[in-house]
Amino acid sequence: MKYDCAVIGGGILGLSVGMMLGRRQNGLKITVLEKEPDVALHQTGRNSGVIHSGIYYKPGSLKARFATAGNQTMVDFCEEHGIPYEACGKIIVATNEQELPLLETLYQRGLANGLAVTKLSSEEAREIEPHVRCLKAIRVPSTGIVAFRNVCLKYAELIQTQGGSIHTGTHVKAIQSRTGGHFLETNRGVIEARFLINCGGLQSDRVARRTGLDPKARIVPFRGEYYELVPDRRHLVNALIYPVPNPDFPFLGVHFTRMIDGAVHAGPNAVLAFKREGYHKTDFNCADSFETLTFAGFWKLARKHFKEGLMEVYRSLSKKAFVRSLQQLIPEITENDLTPTHAGVRAQALMPDGRLVDDFLILNAPNAVHVCNAPSPAATASLEIGRYVADQIPDLRTAVTI
Ligand SMILES: Cc1cc2nc3c(=O)[nH]c(=O)nc-3n(C[C@H](O)[C@H](O)[C@H](O)COP(=O)(O)OP(=O)(O)OC[C@H]3O[C@@H](n4cnc5c(N)ncnc54)[C@H](O)[C@@H]3O)c2cc1C
């Protein structure tokens, strides 16, 4: 099979890129290759379902640009296609004195990112979330909720309407990249593509290396486990309640999220996963663990943040500890109010010097674009990332074929 462009990965980014490219370059032969039996089974189908506002990110970064714009484009997309979503807003709460300056910094960052954030006293916060306990809070009105899987199904439908194809159950195992194109060896035979886009999520660094590109960064998987409020305690949370994030690890800090189906999730934590696509505490994969544990960057990170790492493991193993973190936000939550629910694994790129790659990392290579770091808020920003990647691709309708 021969294509103008093959996208590896049927998560929200691969599908968005495929859809955007098809819109930009009408008539192109595009395919999305997904190793699983369906699309959106990994990060995209296992996340918090929050349409982020963009408040956390450094002004001017890709994350800030794509999340603030993506928040609106995601809402518009849902409106246009009748996908259920809710612009419920969220509050971020400071529960002790030390967090107050961090909350102020976050407020200023929200303003710098052009958001209509407001400061709330403890009483004002309780008018929005009557069960919360805090000293002060900020409200971010543009945060919303959606099931990103539904968004993906629409992207997939539009790709096909535009004449593209989606091959699920198609695992790209090896890649021969030559001048003018790529030969993708899959479990279903060889696929030729003049242009390649790597949206492999948790496998994106490996996919890049298969083409001969060294992205330097290595994906280190961090599992995020969630609990769910039992139905008769869902009234404790109206919408979204977040703690002030640790500036070094914005993804740490369990929070409450109302899902679009009405359930309320609490979490996620962030524990090192010994399997890239391992959703249970005991999941283990030799190759995945070997790659992480032999990567110098991992040990540098582990040495520097040993305490935080240990706390996350403790919180993963002890429901009591997990509940204690949640009680900082809502004191009346008890262990009996929570039952374990799904987990997701974050694909976080780490540099050899131990730095977590903070921004989205999108690398250009001959006849290829590799999305090598796309953690949260990439689902929110998916239309913007899709547009950005599609804009990197030369007009394949006029370019020479292999
Ligand atoms: C716990 C958690 C909570 C999150 N919460 C939010 C949130 O609330 N809001 C938000 O905006 N973002 C959130 N995120 C981030 C968001 O989910 C991800 O940034 C986004 O889903 C990344 O999409 P993706 O397409 O890059 O990756 P994925 O969804 O992981 O898709 C990659 C796909 O590539 C496929 N693949 C890999 N290798 C191959 C191969 N060799 N051949 C064929 N197919 C291959 C995989 O099977 C997979 O389906 C969260 C993430 C996690 C883990």
Side-chain angles (χ1 to χ4, degrees):
M1 283 180 287
K2 287 188 181 181
Y3 292 92
D4 295 313
C5 182
V7 182
I8 300 180
I12 200 162
L13 294 189
L15 295 168
S16 169
V17 172
M19 179 182 74
M20 287 296 182
L21 182 61
R23 277 189 198 171
R24 286 274 192 280
Q25 301 192 29
N26 204 349
L28 215 60
K29 223 175 150 207
I30 299 171
T31 189
V32 177
L33 308 174
E34 169 54 54
K35 65 182 164 56
E36 303 296 345
D38 199 357
V39 297
L41 289 184
H42 290 295
Q43 294 179 92
T44 302
R46 296 174 158 272
N47 60 31
S48 299
V50 177
I51 308 176
H52 286 296
S53 63
I55 186 170
Y56 298 121
Y57 318 112
K58 206 163 143 200
S61 63
L62 291 180
K63 273 190 177 175
R65 280 168 47 204
F66 293 167
T68 49
N71 173 284
Q72 188 57 49
T73 45
M74 181 58 65
V75 164
D76 293 345
F77 187 85
C78 293
E79 281 285 339
E80 185 184 345
H81 296 287
I83 298 168
Y85 79 98
E86 208 185 308
C88 52
K90 85 169 172 189
I91 60 169
I92 305 172
V93 302
T95 57
N96 60 51
E97 293 285 339
Q98 292 89 300
E99 287 177 351
L100 291 175
L102 295 174
L103 189 71
E104 175 62 27
T105 307
L106 204 55
Y107 172 74
Q108 295 300 338
R109 186 162 270 196
L111 294 182
N113 282 331
L115 303 177
V117 281
T118 46
K119 290 186 182 181
L120 303 175
S121 65
S122 160
E123 295 72 35
E124 287 166 330
R126 285 175 77 96
E127 278 167 29
I128 298 168
E129 293 288 353
H131 300 275
V132 85
R133 187 205 58 179
C134 65
L135 298 180
K136 282 187 179 165
I138 55 181
R139 175 168 154 75
V140 195
S142 54
T143 307
I145 51 174
V146 71
F148 284 113
R149 180 173 161 74
N150 290 341
V151 174
C152 278
L153 295 179
K154 184 50 76 175
Y155 290 172
E157 183 191 316
L158 292 173
I159 289 173
Q160 285 161 324
T161 314
Q162 290 165 181
S165 60
I166 295 168
H167 292 277
T168 52
T170 306
H171 191 169
V172 178
K173 298 185 168 201
I175 303 172
Q176 311 274 342
S177 292
R178 312 208 178 124
T179 320
H182 308 268
F183 294 82
L184 314 178
E185 289 169 31
T186 80
N187 53 323
R188 297 197 166 171
V190 175
I191 291 174
E192 294 179 38
R194 294 161 58 209
F195 205 94
L196 178 71
I197 300 167
N198 165 13
C199 292
L202 284 152
Q203 311 290 342
S204 57
D205 56 340
R206 288 176 175 159
V207 171
R209 288 200 298 272
R210 276 174 208 154
T211 66
L213 177 77
D214 175 9
K216 306 272 188 305
R218 176 82 50 98
I219 291 293
V220 176
F222 288 97
R223 193 172 54 254
E225 298 151 334
Y226 293 85
Y227 283 90
E228 181 175 8
L229 279 187
V230 293
D232 65 350
R233 297 290 274 171
R234 286 179 183 169
H235 66 275
L236 295 177
V237 176
N238 282 333
L240 307 172
I241 308 172
Y242 279 60
V244 176
N246 173 339
D248 291 333
F249 293 100
F251 59 78
L252 291 189
V254 290
H255 50 259
F256 290 100
T257 313
R258 182 170 287 280
M259 308 299 281
I260 198 70
D261 64 3
V264 176
H265 287 180
N269 56 7
V271 274
L272 178 70
F274 289 98
K275 185 175 177 189
R276 289 199 184 196
E277 291 160 357
Y279 300 105
H280 303 104
K281 290 188 207 310
T282 51
D283 280 349
F284 179 83
N285 176 285
C286 250
D288 291 354
S289 305
F290 183 80
E291 271 198 44
T292 300
L293 299 176
T294 54
F295 183 52
F298 168 73
W299 290 106
K300 289 180 184 149
L301 177 81
R303 262 197 298 278
K304 198 163 160 211
H305 297 288
F306 183 70
K307 218 177 88 197
E308 287 92 342
L310 214 58
M311 181 58 209
E312 288 300 307
V313 172
Y314 175 52
R315 207 158 40 182
S316 164
L317 297 174
S318 158
K319 186 176 180 186
K320 266 193 180 49
F322 202 102
V323 172
R324 265 201 302 276
S325 303
L326 295 171
Q327 284 168 337
Q328 303 285 317
L329 309 175
I330 299 185
E332 65 196 273
I333 293 279
T334 67
E335 273 189 66
N336 293 337
D337 297 337
L338 296 159
T339 50
T341 179
H342 75 284
V345 179
R346 302 172 185 82
Q348 175 60 56
L350 183 65
M351 296 304 281
D353 63 6
R355 261 181 315 119
L356 293 171
V357 179
D358 190 33
D359 210 354
F360 296 142
L361 180 64
I362 300 171
L363 300 175
N364 291 311
N367 301 320
V369 177
H370 299 267
V371 179
C372 288
N373 190 51
S376 186
T380 302
S382 55
L383 288 162
E384 298 304 311
I385 296 176
R387 208 189 313 273
Y388 176 86
V389 172
D391 284 346
Q392 316 279 311
I393 301 169
D395 193 338
L396 296 169
R397 293 166 300 186
T398 53
V400 191
T401 47
I402 29 178

